[in-house]
Amino acid sequence: RADPGERRAGLDGVEELKGEGNELFGAERHAEAASKYSEALDTLQMVAAELRDAEAACLDTRGEGAEAREQRIASLRVACLANRAACLLQQQLWRAALTDA
């Protein structure tokens, strides 16, 4: 696993955070895993905004690549929310889990 200081940028970095959350969940470290999924979601929000801003500045970058990227963003968001909800359920934090579900 890469050193957090050497984390990949962009959507690959979000995937990396999600993977770290998955490892923590597998080790039954649910609070830490939930925190990692939260970090992934926060990072995803920033990365998505940056990508959309770059797209707006250069309109001819819109196309099939942009559509695939939006699908990847949506899939990552859903996975991180579902995984965080699973962590919260394991901690019996019912209301918080319901918010993510």
Side-chain angles (χ1 to χ4, degrees), residues 4-20:
E6 298 176 17
R7 185 170 315 285
R8 291 181 280 174
L11 295 176
D12 289 339
V14 175
E15 292 270 9
E16 193 173 304
L17 287 166
K18 180 177 152 278
E20 291 173 17

Side-chain angles (χ1 to χ4, degrees), residues 19-78:
E20 291 173 17
N22 293 347
E23 288 178 23
L24 290 164
F25 186 87
E28 297 185 14
R29 294 166 58 186
H30 302 116
E32 292 171 77
S35 179
K36 196 59 71 170
Y37 295 129
S38 292
E39 185 180 349
L41 286 162
D42 291 344
T43 303
L44 180 62
Q45 185 175 355
M46 288 186 300
V47 168
E50 289 170 2
L51 291 170
R52 289 180 187 121
D53 287 348
E55 217 166 66
C58 184
L59 296 177
D60 40 330
T61 62
R62 191 88 178 133
E64 284 184 41
E67 188 175 318
R69 187 175 55 247
E70 287 298 322
Q71 178 61 40
R72 185 175 176 201
I73 289 168
S75 294
L76 277 168
R77 184 173 187 280
V78 167

Side-chain angles (χ1 to χ4, degrees), residues 81-99:
L81 284 169
N83 291 356
R84 186 170 67 182
C87 292
L88 296 168
L89 287 172
Q90 289 295 320
Q91 297 173 81
Q92 299 182 2
L93 298 170
W94 315 121
R95 288 183 194 265
L98 185 59
T99 301

